[in-house]
Amino acid sequence: MGSLGDRIGRRRLLLVGATGFAAVSVVAAYSQSAEILIAARVGLGLFGATLMPATLSLLRNLFTDRSERRLAIAIWSASIVAGAAMGPVVGGFLLEHFWWGSVFLFAVPLLVPLLLLAPALVPESKIRIPHVSTPSASPCPCSR
């Protein structure tokens, strides 16, 4: 996903991933069959795979000072670890007190502010890939 972010833009990849993750989360929460739930989980994996590389590469471009970048990546890493530690606890609480689909809806209110604020607050960054022209399809000089 990193090279895709380089080509289409890291912020765009983040927004596409967050939008898709939120939409597919709602589909998973209200799925009426195992097939739809499995398909939604595949979608969650696909869109979720765009989020972490996009955020990390955006951090690298937002924080150009080495010490600021180090602190930003440390905070990013700590939030990943905290989420991994709290996820089963929060999921268990939701399953204990609400219906099973609530575990999928948990991410939606967290993604809405990202989707609303990122276009205004996060600058786009991508690698400018020079266009390489290919030689024309002229006849081979050896065929004369």
Side-chain angles (χ1 to χ4, degrees):
M1 291 295 175
S3 61
L4 181 61
D6 292 342
R7 293 180 194 283
I8 69 167
R10 296 171 181 109
R11 182 184 69 186
R12 181 180 294 163
L13 183 64
L14 176 66
L15 293 174
V16 166
T19 302
F21 196 89
V24 177
S25 292
V26 173
V27 171
Y30 293 104
S31 62
Q32 298 295 317
S33 70
E35 293 82 8
I36 294 174
L37 180 59
I38 291 169
R41 294 289 294 172
V42 169
L44 287 170
L46 177 70
F47 288 115
T50 66
L51 299 176
M52 291 187 51
T55 55
L56 188 58
S57 61
L58 280 168
L59 285 179
R60 179 148 173 76
N61 289 320
L62 287 172
F63 297 97
T64 55
D65 180 55
R66 201 170 174 181
S67 62
E68 286 180 358
R69 184 182 315 137
R70 191 174 338 161
L71 178 62
I73 291 174
I75 292 170
W76 178 86
S77 300
S79 66
I80 299 297
V81 171
M86 291 173 34
V89 175
V90 172
F93 177 83
L94 291 172
L95 288 174
E96 184 72 27
H97 294 90
F98 301 100
W99 113 102
W100 66 268
S102 64
V103 296
F104 294 107
L105 295 177
F106 181 75
V108 175
L110 300 175
L111 292 171
V112 168
L114 170 73
L115 294 171
L116 294 176
L117 297 175
L121 298 177
V122 177
E124 182 60 270
S125 66
K126 62 182 170 181
I127 294 177
R128 303 278 181 226
I129 300 172
H131 178 69
V132 178
S133 62
T134 57
S136 64
S138 60
C140 178
C142 60
S143 64
R144 292 185 206 162

